[in-house]
Amino acid sequence: HLDAAELERRSAAALAAYDLAAAELSAQRRAAAEVLDRRVSDLMQDLGLRGGVFRTRIDPATAPARTENGADEIEFLVSANPGQPPRPLAKTASGGELSRISLALQVATLDATHLPCLVFDEVDAGVGGAVAEMVGRQLRTLAASGQVLCVTHLAQVAAQADRQVRVSKRSVGGRTQTRLEPLDGAARIDELARMLAGANVTETAREHAREMLEAARPAPRRRVSASAGGS
């Protein structure tokens, strides 16, 4: 049997070993946070958040705490606009900004994490043109390591997908039904043209759609799905 003094000695040794491991973990977190902050901030510039800044705050826990995750309090901070100090991500970013920052985080940690399927909604909210194309390219980058599903209304994003599905709703017998229609060939070109030009699809819009698909096809990728909303 162990006496009280031996138990106290072993307890103190275990706590000292924990504190040493927690300190090493904190140091590694701070080093990793510097790299992460730089990568995410750089990606934000290309995703329509020019001048935005991402920061990771790592502080000792306010109350002495020894948990399986270490003894740190961690919070993500973001400034989506130049000149504004970084503030807590959960309280600052809008829905569209949050989606794009989430996309930047996923791309920045692509080598460190693997999720079999990612779903993005409104990731292209409030953007268009070259920024929308860059969003599509970043989604395509993510698809190199897993499946990406993206709900989008922008042709620049949908054209980057390996597969495109049209989502529509209709009323049957007083009930609303949602229809998913895989698009290929001419049907996909027509849908992209509609997303570009609206209800009046012209041959010019179709030609633009063909060019977008051709430009998005350089390197084979794994599965990416884009859902184009409609009614």
Side-chain angles (χ1 to χ4, degrees):
H1 297 284
L2 299 176
D3 59 23
E6 178 63 14
L7 289 173
E8 289 181 0
R9 187 192 70 78
R10 293 191 178 188
S11 175
L15 290 176
Y18 175 91
D19 289 341
L20 179 61
E24 292 177 350
L25 176 60
S26 294
Q28 292 180 16
R29 279 175 169 161
R30 293 181 189 282
E34 289 184 9
V35 177
L36 179 67
D37 292 350
R38 184 170 61 253
R39 288 180 179 177
V40 174
S41 295
D42 288 346
L43 286 165
M44 286 171 63
Q45 311 311 305
D46 294 328
L47 295 174
L49 299 170
R50 189 162 296 279
V53 175
F54 182 89
R55 290 288 181 268
T56 305
R57 181 181 65 81
I58 303 175
D59 292 328
T62 52
R66 294 183 175 96
T67 72
E68 60 181 335
N69 297 316
D72 297 317
E73 288 184 351
I74 301 173
E75 186 174 33
F76 291 145
L77 310 175
V78 67
S79 170
N81 300 295
Q84 294 182 348
R87 300 182 59 191
L89 175 62
K91 299 179 181 179
T92 304
S94 66
E97 291 170 345
L98 192 60
S99 293
R100 276 175 278 161
I101 294 168
S102 174
L103 173 58
L105 276 167
Q106 294 293 342
V107 173
T109 59
L110 191 59
D111 296 333
T113 61
H114 175 69
L115 297 175
C117 182
L118 295 169
V119 181
F120 290 93
D121 188 12
E122 294 188 15
V123 70
D124 52 18
V127 302
V131 174
E133 183 178 351
M134 182 58 67
V135 169
R137 289 181 180 177
Q138 296 297 345
L139 289 167
R140 197 171 179 86
T141 298
L142 281 181
S145 61
Q147 186 180 49
V148 176
L149 303 176
C150 177
V151 180
T152 181
H153 294 273
L154 295 181
Q156 294 93 330
V157 175
Q160 297 287 334
D162 292 316
R163 296 179 179 87
Q164 185 174 349
V165 179
R166 177 164 53 206
V167 181
S168 58
K169 293 182 180 180
R170 62 178 181 176
S171 180
V172 178
R175 301 184 62 181
T176 300
Q177 295 183 350
T178 301
R179 182 185 180 190
L180 303 179
E181 180 185 357
L183 301 175
D184 201 2
R188 185 175 185 187
I189 290 173
D190 284 347
E191 179 63 14
L192 288 173
R194 185 193 66 79
M195 296 171 75
L196 287 167
N200 184 24
V201 176
T202 64
E203 189 55 39
T204 300
R206 289 189 181 92
E207 184 59 31
H208 189 186
R210 292 187 189 96
E211 291 175 357
M212 293 176 68
L213 283 174
E214 189 63 31
R217 204 174 282 167
R221 300 281 186 174
R222 287 184 57 189
R223 52 199 183 280
V224 193
S225 296
S227 296
S231 58

